Amino acid sequence: MSIPNRVDIAIAGGGLSGALIAYRLRLLRPDVSVALVEQGASLGGNHTWSFHEADVSPETREWLSAFVCRRWERQAVIFPNYHRVLETPYCSISSSRLHDVAAPRLGDGLVLNADIEEVMADGLRLAGERVINAGAVIDARGARQSDRLALGFQKFIGQELEFTAPHGLDAPVIMDASVPQEDGYRFLYVLPFTEKTALVEDTRYADGASLDREALRKGVADYCASRGWTISKVLREEEGVLPIALAGDIEAFLDESEAGVAPAGMRAALFHPLTGYSLPDAAALAELIAAQEDLSGPALARLVRDHSVSLWRRRGFYRLLSRMLFSAAEPDQRYKVLQRFYSLPQPLIERFYAGETHLGDRARILAGKPPVPVSRALGCLGEAKYLKRAMGAERQEA
Ligand SMILES: Cc1cc2nc3c(=O)[nH]c(=O)nc-3n(C[C@H](O)[C@H](O)[C@H](O)COP(=O)(O)OP(=O)(O)OC[C@H]3O[C@@H](n4cnc5c(N)ncnc54)[C@H](O)[C@@H]3O)c2cc1C
């Protein structure tokens, strides 16, 4: 594989955000040379990324549809005292589809199996002292730890399973929280890909980031047994520990990035504070970058910083809800917050996931008898103490 010496834009990390930005630039700005550098043998690693169709704008939906490997017209949620089907379409993108669609567009600009040792404002240093010089650099190497963000975690193991007989589902179950509540808010997530296969994930909203793989695998197996699904084969497994934002100092977080480099994806804190999902933000950022006239390094670094700070500020309400979920509710009672939320009107739920909740929605979400003790809910109002705690914990670990 030949590695370009110099390009207009070098992107570090061919995961979700890096691949979408490179793809969109190639389509809309063929005059701009792009190098996308990924340490793995293919783009995207091992993920199934999903989103509610209402999370992305109609323009974004149009080009993103090339990546969608499965789309459903509706989705369901199940709680101990409540069951609902929402008529909101739901879509999934697999990492193999991400690779198959994006890689051919990138041609020689795609550099796989290459470890980046240093991300600089004017290029990337790869292992073996090879350097790609660039007019602008985007750092899309995924989440990074920082004591400037106070986090809870959504962690899961998902197994793509084949069953001996049809499972009978024709829509995804986004949350089945009618299961025993363990390690925080626990639910099963089921994407029925074909009539005999499905991705089944055991998910927990927990305080700690550690993943008990055996417990989660057993959770998946027990759930399938309880639904009467006999597993004939485990086709694939994926896992995740996603950040849930409780509080943060976004400017200080971004200041930790390399000066003059534009961060992207999780590295720019571009994720939904309460779900940890980043696909809609990654697609929107790809759209935003490709629409810029000025693609110089300083202009891109400024653009992404302003975008990230502005989204973070607009999303304070979701961080408040995250704090209520994590610290006002006892771990085994956390499901009640979601159960109540899912009784609200469908358009409000769609705006919530799309990060478009307006003042009236907020009032409705918080109105009525709260599913958590009022005194503890009031204790969640400010971000400062959470951030202080996160910074203290980080120092102690160091
Ligand atoms: C299993 C899983 C499922 C998820 N499901 C969803 C979902 O359904 N919907 C949703 O919106 N979000 C989901 N998320 C959350 C989030 O969207 C993903 O974490 C997403 O992949 C983040 O995108 P990113 O581009 O920031 O980072 P990543 O996709 O993690 O990409 C970072 C890339 O950088 C590469 N890299 C890192 N360091 C180097 C280096 N030194 N040299 C070269 N390359 C390097 C990595 O190999 C990787 O490919 C999921 C996360 C996980 C882990």
Side-chain angles (χ1 to χ4, degrees), residues 92-135:
S92 291
I93 294 177
S94 62
S95 38
S96 57
R97 175 68 80 99
L98 182 80
H99 179 89
D100 292 348
V101 174
R105 292 271 171 194
L106 303 177
D108 289 347
L110 177 57
V111 182
L112 294 171
N113 301 304
D115 255 322
I116 299 162
E117 286 188 342
E118 193 180 355
V119 172
M120 305 164 290
D122 59 356
L124 303 177
R125 184 181 306 285
L126 313 188
E129 290 307 305
R130 295 168 300 176
V131 172
I132 300 177
N133 297 297

Side-chain angles (χ1 to χ4, degrees), residues 2 40 161 180 189 200 210 225 281 304 317 337 367 373 388:
S2 73
L161 301 170
Y189 170 85
V200 184
S210 70
D281 281 353
V304 178
F317 177 70
V337 176
K388 221 162 130 193

Side-chain angles (χ1 to χ4, degrees), residues 71-280:
R71 178 182 181 277
W72 299 268
E73 288 294 337
R74 56 190 65 83
Q75 47 182 285
V77 288
I78 303 169
F79 291 95
N81 302 316
Y82 191 66
H83 174 208
R84 182 169 182 190
V85 174
L86 292 147
E87 302 295 327
T88 309
Y90 197 69
C91 303
S92 291
I93 294 177
S94 62
S95 38
S96 57
R97 175 68 80 99
L98 182 80
H99 179 89
D100 292 348
V101 174
R105 292 271 171 194
L106 303 177
D108 289 347
L110 177 57
V111 182
L112 294 171
N113 301 304
D115 255 322
I116 299 162
E117 286 188 342
E118 193 180 355
V119 172
M120 305 164 290
D122 59 356
L124 303 177
R125 184 181 306 285
L126 313 188
E129 290 307 305
R130 295 168 300 176
V131 172
I132 300 177
N133 297 297
V137 173
I138 297 175
D139 186 357
R141 285 177 297 166
R144 69 171 169 80
Q145 276 203 321
S146 167
D147 64 0
R148 302 302 168 146
L149 302 182
L151 304 173
F153 301 93
Q154 182 194 167
K155 49 195 193 181
F156 57 88
I157 287 242
Q159 292 185 327
E160 199 171 322
L161 301 170
E162 185 180 82
F163 302 110
T164 53
H167 44 64
L169 291 181
D170 62 359
V173 180
I174 302 305
M175 289 177 180
D176 184 345
S178 65
V179 292
Q181 294 297 297
E182 293 161 21
D183 196 11
Y185 172 46
R186 172 175 180 237
F187 61 90
L188 273 289
Y189 170 85
V190 187
L191 299 182
F193 287 131
T194 68
E195 67 165 11
K196 280 196 192 174
T197 65
L199 176 71
V200 184
E201 285 181 6
D202 189 327
T203 302
R204 292 149 194 220
Y205 270 68
D207 301 312
S210 70
L211 203 60
D212 183 344
R213 292 182 178 80
E214 281 320 305
L216 291 165
R217 285 185 191 118
K218 183 171 180 312
V220 169
D222 289 350
Y223 180 74
C224 291
S226 76
R227 301 278 315 234
W229 303 334
T230 305
I231 300 168
S232 55
K233 211 171 179 183
V234 178
L235 303 169
R236 199 176 61 81
E237 184 174 286
E238 63 183 64
E239 64 179 51
V241 179
L242 308 191
I244 303 302
L246 307 176
D249 179 343
I250 188 63
E251 306 233 25
F253 173 76
L254 294 169
D255 283 344
E256 292 170 343
S257 292
E258 200 59 50
V261 170
M266 301 301 259
R267 224 156 241 260
L270 291 173
F271 58 91
H272 191 295
L274 191 56
T275 65
Y277 275 23
S278 77
L279 191 144

